[in-house]
Amino acid sequence: MASKEFNAFAMAQSQFDKVSDLIGLDAGAKSFLREPVREFHFLIPVRMDDGTTKVFRGFRVQHSDARGPAKGGIRFHPQETVDTVRALAMWMTWKTAVVDLPLGGGKGGVICDPHHLSLREQEQICRGWVRQVAKNVGPLADVPAPDVMTNGQHMLWMLDEFEVIHGGRYPGFITGKPVGMGGSLGRTEATGYGLIYTIREALKDMNLDPKNTTASVQGFGNVAQYAIEKFTQLGGTVTAVSCWDQNDQTSYTYKKRTGVDLNELRSITDRFGGIDPKKAQDLGYLKLAGNAWIEEEVDILLPAAIENQVTGETVNSIKKSVKIIGEGANGPTTPDADAEISKRGIFIIPDFLANAGGVTCSYFEQVQSNMNYFWEKEEVLSKLDTKMTTGFRAVSDLARSRKLYMRDAAYVISIGRVAQAVKDRGWV
Ligand code: GLU
């Protein structure tokens, strides 16, 4: 599905260049903010279960720490590249800024495929990753979190290694930890729920009742599953879900006209969000091509898998019925597809706003970890709702008043805040 020449960092820079020119950002701030301030590339040797040693390549990119410690997840992905990590780090800077968190942006990655790694091997990768950057990350410098194919267990191994190295307890070093081990209630749900809070607000503006709306979702990992949960709670119907099939090395869309049943699908899903195709068909799901999710006749499209999915090629399959695109994934839409979406007047909630719920709750987790006092789930989720709604309102108001495309409006706010911070600090 994803084209070979796609470069996420080039895309992130072109989005940035467009808006920095639009707001007349001065040359110094522009050249400072269009690149990561720091990055680390390293090797992680791991003694595998069969006794051989395998060497994995790891990265940590800190795009900006102007507004606070760098913040962002760590991905495990076989196709990881440093340019993808750079783009994701940059998007984290705009993400924390758009919801006004006192944090910067960073991202990490390891080129590996956890489908083919035992838990012990994954633990060695996590500990090896921390050993390589232990001096350059930390609660006051750079705070990692989970992302594609990493979870709370990975975070806990990383925390443990960091604490062994630094000789103390530093629960604020990392977020997305398991509840009871420094994690926050609501963190698992936060990205998917946050996405739907913004969808709810957009529907309100269109005078649409969620109960009468349908959605199609790409992905069935953490973000997609909790987005489906919240959207269904609001009364909406999800007609199709697309996800990766590890055995066939391709993706499929599973469709049920009457609406997918989240719990039913969860019961036939592996830990990476892969749905068992045979069992899905037994349960009455139609198995369609991977791209069929985007061709659904629905009100809302939720790309919640990975970057480079709504492209110049696929954008034309979007049906007239689609009113909103909510980007649960980071970087799912390419600039040429953006131009088409803007032309067609589809309301887009851009990734770094739409999926900011995860990092917002990570921020709450860090606050709770640092003061060693943990809130009830309702308190976390209501604070999350407030942050997401406020962030959404600021962007949509600006988009309306200045007649901007939603992505550009979000960039205007974020770049403005970060540029102000680097100027106020006297860096540019
Ligand atoms: N990986 C998530 C994201 O892309 C969360 C980052 C975090 O919690 O720091 O937003």
Side-chain angles (χ1 to χ4, degrees), residues 114-156:
H115 289 97
H116 304 301
L117 295 167
S118 71
L119 284 180
R120 193 199 66 83
E121 290 163 347
Q122 292 179 43
E123 177 179 348
Q124 295 315 307
I125 292 179
C126 288
R127 291 186 185 277
W129 190 94
V130 170
R131 282 199 293 272
Q132 291 300 327
V133 286
K135 303 279 184 301
N136 309 98
V137 294
L140 305 176
D142 181 3
V143 183
D147 200 280
V148 171
M149 286 202 269
T150 54
N151 58 36
Q153 176 64 75
H154 297 112
M155 299 304 110
L156 192 52

Side-chain angles (χ1 to χ4, degrees), residues 71-74 92 95 107 143-148 175 187 191 330 355-356 358-360 362:
K71 183 83 192 83
I74 301 169
M92 284 308 305
K95 194 181 301 195
K107 204 75 162 199
V143 183
D147 200 280
V148 171
T175 61
R187 175 64 184 85
T191 316
N330 292 311
N355 70 35
V359 73
T360 300
S362 275

Side-chain angles (χ1 to χ4, degrees), residues 2-13 36 39 41 59-61 63 73-92 106-111 147-148 305-308 330-332 351:
S3 61
K4 280 251 164 338
E5 327 74 66
F6 173 74
N7 182 313
F9 188 46
M11 168 169 145
Q13 287 190 317
E39 52 186 57
H41 301 205
F59 310 103
R60 184 67 181 175
V61 174
H63 173 261
I74 301 169
R75 314 206 305 176
F76 283 178
H77 202 278
Q79 266 92 50
E80 194 66 285
T81 68
V82 68
D83 271 344
T84 311
V85 182
R86 286 178 179 133
L88 291 161
M90 193 164 174
W91 285 326
M92 284 308 305
K107 204 75 162 199
V110 178
I111 306 175
D147 200 280
V148 171
I306 203 150
E307 62 278 356
N308 191 27
N330 292 311
D351 50 4

Side-chain angles (χ1 to χ4, degrees), residues 199 203 213-216 231 298-302 322-326:
I199 295 285
L203 287 173
T213 61
T214 49
S216 174
F231 184 64
V298 287
D299 303 295
I300 302 162
L301 289 177
L302 299 175
V322 173
K323 298 164 191 73
I324 302 174
I325 300 175

Side-chain angles (χ1 to χ4, degrees), residues 352-365:
F352 64 87
L353 168 65
N355 70 35
V359 73
T360 300
C361 199
S362 275
Y363 164 60
F364 297 153
E365 176 178 334

